Amino acid sequence: MTTPKKTSSSEQTPLEEAYPTTVEGLVLEERLGYALRRAQLKVFKHFDEAMREHDIRPAQFSSLVVIEGYPGVTQSNLAQTLSIDPPRVVSLINSLEERGLALRVRCKRDRRSHGIFLTKTGEALVERLKGLAEQSDLEATQSLSEIERRQLLTLLRKVYASEEGDD
């Protein structure tokens, strides 16, 4: 690893050197948070492109998948499962309801709670979206072999699972 050339304030730096295009040689190159954020930006860019025609954001997609997997999930359970602030989940579910993708049904055992279910339109869309998300992941990680991709997923799950165990 090369270290960037240090210049004193009295030395003049050519204009093209004043505007970096890489973090090579800087401490950022060795920081996990920086690498994760850069990878997230790339993955989300691919995801946004894949979901553009359906106007679906990552939190909406995640919510649809959880609702599909756990029909009747409550807003509070959805918020906890996805680590989303409860007020944000309310507006997220409102938007899914307005689009006809999900609906709230009052729970029989606790009349204060509402279970969330996908509509028929939501069920059909989530199937399509899961395929698009898979293709998006593969495109975003095309520089990795399938084994490397699985290893990366395993390691990332290990990182965030350790946080969940600390709660």
Side-chain angles (χ1 to χ4, degrees), residues 4-122:
K5 181 182 172 189
K6 304 278 186 204
T7 59
S8 69
S9 57
S10 63
E11 292 181 48
Q12 291 292 332
T13 304
L15 187 58
E16 57 273 0
E17 287 183 42
Y19 300 101
T21 58
T22 179
V23 297
E24 185 177 339
L26 302 177
V27 70
L28 288 176
E29 194 176 42
E30 302 300 319
R31 299 287 59 92
L32 180 60
Y34 180 79
L36 284 170
R37 180 64 175 145
R38 292 294 303 262
Q40 179 197 25
L41 289 170
K42 181 175 183 178
V43 170
F44 274 28
K45 179 179 180 262
H46 281 268
F47 182 89
D48 285 342
E49 290 169 3
M51 301 294 169
R52 184 171 291 136
E53 75 176 274
H54 300 288
D55 193 26
I56 294 290
R57 306 292 302 149
Q60 292 171 319
F61 172 73
S62 298
S63 296
L64 289 168
V65 171
V66 171
I67 296 165
E68 177 195 42
Y70 298 99
V73 65
T74 63
Q75 288 176 179
S76 60
N77 287 137
L78 183 62
Q80 185 177 18
T81 300
L82 296 176
S83 297
I84 299 174
D85 290 330
R88 188 159 172 255
V89 167
V90 171
S91 65
L92 195 147
I93 298 304
N94 287 344
S95 73
L96 294 177
E97 275 191 313
E98 288 166 10
R99 294 179 60 183
L101 302 175
L103 56 96
R104 292 177 181 102
V105 175
R106 189 175 303 277
C107 293
K108 289 180 181 175
R109 64 177 182 262
D110 180 357
R111 310 245 347 126
R112 297 168 296 171
S113 296
H114 291 83
I116 308 163
F117 296 87
L118 294 180
T119 62
K120 294 292 181 198
T121 303

